[in-house]
Amino acid sequence: MKASICLQIDIFRHVYLVFRKWFYSNIWYIVCRRFYMPDLLLVLFLFNFSLFLLHEMDAIRCSEWRLFIILKDMEDSKAYKVFTFIHLFLYVLILSLLFSQYQTIIFWVLDLFFIIHAILHLFFERHPRNEFKNSFSRSIIYPMGVLSVIHLVLLINIST
């Protein structure tokens, strides 16, 4: 009986030591893993893209379609639907390209778009139909432009 208990304790100790070694080595890997530049680029881009999605949600609240040449003359209920519907195809296109072999190209295109977009919002700051004049909307729009510049600089540094 005593030998059987000792054997069980030895087996338990062995399983515990193997598990402890595995656990600590994996935790150490997760905690101490270096952030490689491509990972940082993707995380930075995804954060910026998330800001863009937030801005588009805010754009619906602020009736951004009133600033567009074609949509501004439409009745609000119809312009809202067109504006929203266009974004469905836009998001599908962006996401499909983002997770494809064209990822770097979509980085460049969207970074340039976000920069131009922030500049346009700056120019349209005094437009009478612009409803993005609050600090919340501005805290989404302008960081997109700044983060895009940072992302582009890092992207250029990686490719050279």
Side-chain angles (χ1 to χ4, degrees):
M1 181 82 169
K2 188 175 184 180
S4 150
I5 292 175
C6 287
L7 181 64
Q8 288 175 352
I9 291 173
D10 284 343
I11 291 171
F12 177 76
R13 182 179 298 141
H14 177 72
V15 169
Y16 168 75
L17 290 174
V18 168
F19 174 76
R20 190 175 90 175
K21 182 179 178 185
W22 172 85
F23 178 79
Y24 285 119
S25 66
N26 283 318
I27 292 299
W28 183 253
Y29 172 76
I30 291 167
V31 170
C32 296
R33 183 175 173 255
R34 287 183 38 201
F35 227 144
Y36 294 104
M37 188 58 79
D39 294 338
L40 176 63
L41 277 175
L42 183 59
V43 169
L44 183 61
F45 179 83
L46 291 175
F47 182 81
N48 209 20
F49 185 66
S50 298
L51 283 176
F52 172 68
L53 295 175
L54 284 177
H55 168 65
E56 293 307 317
M57 290 162 55
D58 192 36
I60 297 230
R61 180 187 64 83
C62 294
S63 306
E64 188 177 31
W65 56 84
R66 294 178 184 159
L67 299 172
F68 291 102
I69 295 170
I70 297 171
L71 298 176
K72 72 177 181 178
D73 296 327
M74 282 187 197
E75 157 184 335
D76 264 355
S77 62
K78 185 176 180 183
Y80 159 76
K81 290 174 184 170
V82 170
F83 183 81
T84 306
F85 194 66
I86 289 170
H87 283 79
L88 172 65
F89 296 105
L90 178 69
Y91 295 156
V92 169
L93 178 67
I94 290 171
L95 291 172
S96 62
L97 291 173
L98 183 60
F99 297 105
S100 73
Q101 62 188 2
Y102 304 108
Q103 185 181 60
T104 305
I105 295 169
I106 199 70
F107 281 169
W108 278 90
V109 168
L110 285 179
D111 281 340
L112 292 172
F113 170 76
F114 293 155
I115 293 167
I116 293 167
H117 178 263
I119 292 169
L120 285 173
H121 270 280
L122 189 62
F123 285 146
F124 280 90
E125 189 74 27
R126 296 180 192 259
H127 192 281
R129 290 186 170 185
N130 182 7
E131 295 184 26
F132 295 101
K133 296 177 183 176
N134 57 66
S135 58
F136 178 75
S137 295
R138 289 176 179 148
S139 70
I140 295 171
I141 295 165
Y142 299 121
M144 275 193 310
V146 172
L147 288 175
S148 291
V149 169
I150 293 168
H151 187 259
L152 273 178
V153 167
L154 293 174
L155 197 60
I156 291 168
N157 284 339
I158 280 209
S159 52
T160 55

